[in-house]
Amino acid sequence: MRVRRSGSLVILLEGEDLVFHNYLAQSTFLANPQALEIVRAVSDWTDLDALSARFPGYSKGSLQGAISDLATLGALVIEGDEEAEADARFQREWLWGPFAAAFHHATRVGSFMSEASAVEMLQDRAHFTPSPPLYLTNSDPANDISLPVRNEYGEPFATMSRRRTHRAFRQAPLSLLEIADCLLFSMAITAVIEDPEVVDLPLKMTPSGGARNPYEAYVAARRVEGLEPGVYHYSAMERTLGRVGGPPPAFGALLAGQDWADDAAALIFLVANFERTMWKYHDPMAYRVVAVEAGHIGQNIMLTATHHGFLANPTGAMDFEAVEATLGVSGPTKGVLYCLILGRPGPLETQVPA
Ligand SMILES: Cc1cc2nc3c(=O)[nH]c(=O)nc-3n(C[C@H](O)[C@H](O)[C@H](O)COP(=O)(O)O)c2cc1C
């Protein structure tokens, strides 16, 4: 049996302690001196004999025990194990280094609060620490430049001005055309720049850093006329839906407990395929570029819905693992980043953002 240090291990100083954190395995544990010595020594595949020769002060039995504990905690991987495969694949495919990787994984963890506890928590926090201002004003009225005032918007500005997040749906279906329009105006490939030397670049109505087109859209449909409840992949080139799964779990469960989404008609998930962008840009700055693009796509979905008179609410809070399992998406360079919750507006009780 040979072992190697997990590639997705970071060590943090907390007080006087060194704390191991494996962002792939999502495990956290204290690094005692023996663990640290062993983990430092196994930067490449190492067997027990080699380890024993390196640490003559430890018996083979205690080294064996330490290795198996460290493997269980995620500090080491054992050659041939599933974890070792995943670790190697991650090291091979993730090109943006450990900081962006740790950020990507750390930001998949979060807890969603009920509206009542969120309100209570915010009131409490505001009482002890006032919120930073949420906008800046200019401070020199004599010299500040007044901008022309518009009384009428006209289109497309009237639609833009009507967009609103409204966290209440009624159980009514959307039409297939309404869903198709949301996908068309945000995701559909509308032109291609041909480049036989490198790769053809798809263009759509929303911009994409380097035209790398990292997103794929998936629809979880519950109430869409002409569409069996199920999970579908949108082919942006063919403009078709391909069924990838049966009726989706409750929307609130996929969206980290936001139960107000349960009555929505459909969800559109935006899944980043980071490898498309990594292939061109090896610099982790490109992570930001991918994240920003989700906002462009989401905005066009929201404006399309507003134009048609239904809701598209944005959410970044998800049970990411459950969503990816539902969509059938996996791999070290893929991840769902954004979701639009579509449906007909219901009566508005509260309007408190989560
Ligand atoms: C990136 C992003 C993530 C959001 N995530 C959530 C969310 O998880 N839950 C939620 O209820 N609203 C979410 N919202 C909606 C905001 O709370 C909402 O946009 C804000 O309250 C302003 O209201 P408006 O959309 O009506 O202008 C999100 C908005 C954005 C832009």
Side-chain angles (χ1 to χ4, degrees):
M1 178 185 80
R2 298 198 304 168
V3 296
R4 189 174 71 179
R5 179 163 73 222
S6 299
S8 48
L9 202 62
V10 290
I11 302 180
L12 302 171
L13 266 171
E14 282 183 19
E16 295 191 8
D17 293 325
L18 287 177
V19 177
F20 283 125
H21 181 70
N22 182 331
Y23 50 78
L24 266 192
Q26 294 191 355
S27 58
T28 301
F29 44 94
L30 268 185
N32 64 34
Q34 185 199 26
L36 197 58
E37 276 186 314
I38 294 174
V39 167
R40 287 180 63 194
V42 293
S43 58
D44 208 347
W45 291 118
T46 308
D47 63 18
L48 191 58
D49 289 338
L51 208 57
S52 185
R54 170 116 190 224
F55 297 110
Y58 296 126
S59 73
K60 269 196 175 177
S62 89
L63 279 174
Q64 176 76 64
I67 284 175
S68 95
D69 288 350
L70 288 169
T72 308
L73 292 168
L76 308 177
V77 288
I78 297 172
E79 198 171 24
D81 277 6
E82 212 177 286
E83 290 78 13
E85 290 292 315
D87 188 73
R89 189 172 171 204
F90 193 82
Q91 303 318 316
R92 216 171 37 243
E93 297 182 20
W94 181 271
L95 305 182
W96 287 339
F99 292 114
F103 173 81
H104 174 64
H105 286 276
T107 51
R108 285 165 63 90
V109 182
S111 56
F112 186 78
M113 282 184 176
S114 73
E115 198 176 295
S117 33
V119 168
E120 200 179 316
M121 184 273 286
L122 287 179
Q123 285 171 348
D124 214 36
R125 192 174 288 174
H127 184 73
F128 292 106
T129 315
S131 166
L134 299 187
Y135 51 84
L136 299 180
T137 52
N138 292 329
S139 54
D140 187 1
N143 291 306
D144 294 342
I145 298 152
S146 297
L147 296 174
V149 175
R150 260 186 185 276
N151 295 318
E152 299 245 336
Y153 287 142
E155 288 299 347
F157 310 115
T159 299
M160 289 160 68
S161 73
R162 282 200 314 277
R163 184 212 59 79
R164 196 85 289 149
T165 302
H166 173 110
R167 295 174 190 81
F169 294 97
R170 64 178 195 276
Q171 293 187 1
L174 294 176
S175 73
L176 197 52
L177 180 64
E178 286 169 321
I179 296 285
D181 275 359
C182 285
L183 295 164
L184 171 67
F185 296 122
S186 62
M187 284 292 299
I189 294 168
T190 52
V192 173
I193 301 174
E194 288 182 14
D195 181 352
E197 298 290 317
V198 184
V199 64
D200 291 351
L201 296 176
L203 300 177
K204 53 195 195 315
M205 296 185 211
T206 51
S208 177
R212 298 304 301 171
N213 198 42
Y215 284 94
E216 293 291 323
Y218 291 79
V219 178
R222 190 175 292 290
R223 292 181 192 88
V224 180
E225 281 160 0
L227 203 56
E228 285 284 304
V231 181
Y232 300 85
H233 166 253
Y234 176 62
S235 164
M237 181 57 100
E238 301 154 307
R239 304 185 189 176
T240 56
L241 290 177
R243 195 174 166 113
V244 295
F251 289 166
L254 290 177
L255 304 179
Q258 300 184 81
D259 294 340
W260 51 264
D262 280 346
D263 292 336
L267 307 177
I268 297 180
F269 290 104
L270 302 182
V271 174
N273 292 256
F274 293 107
E275 72 277 6
R276 296 182 189 168
T277 305
M278 280 173 180
W279 185 88
K280 179 172 179 183
Y281 304 112
H282 289 193
D283 195 315
M285 183 176 69
Y287 186 92
R288 291 167 172 254
V289 173
V290 175
V292 167
E293 183 171 335
H296 292 293
I297 296 169
Q299 184 75 7
N300 274 22
I301 294 174
M302 290 185 267
L303 292 178
T304 304
T306 307
H307 168 80
H308 281 303
F310 65 92
L311 287 172
N313 288 349
T315 181
M318 284 169 249
D319 180 337
F320 296 96
E321 282 184 17
V323 171
E324 288 162 12
T326 301
L327 307 182
V329 165
S330 67
T333 57
K334 299 195 192 306
V336 59
L337 250 71
Y338 207 18
C339 174
L340 286 305
I341 310 167
L342 312 184
R344 305 247 175 247
L348 188 61
E349 284 165 17
T350 54
Q351 182 66 328
V352 180

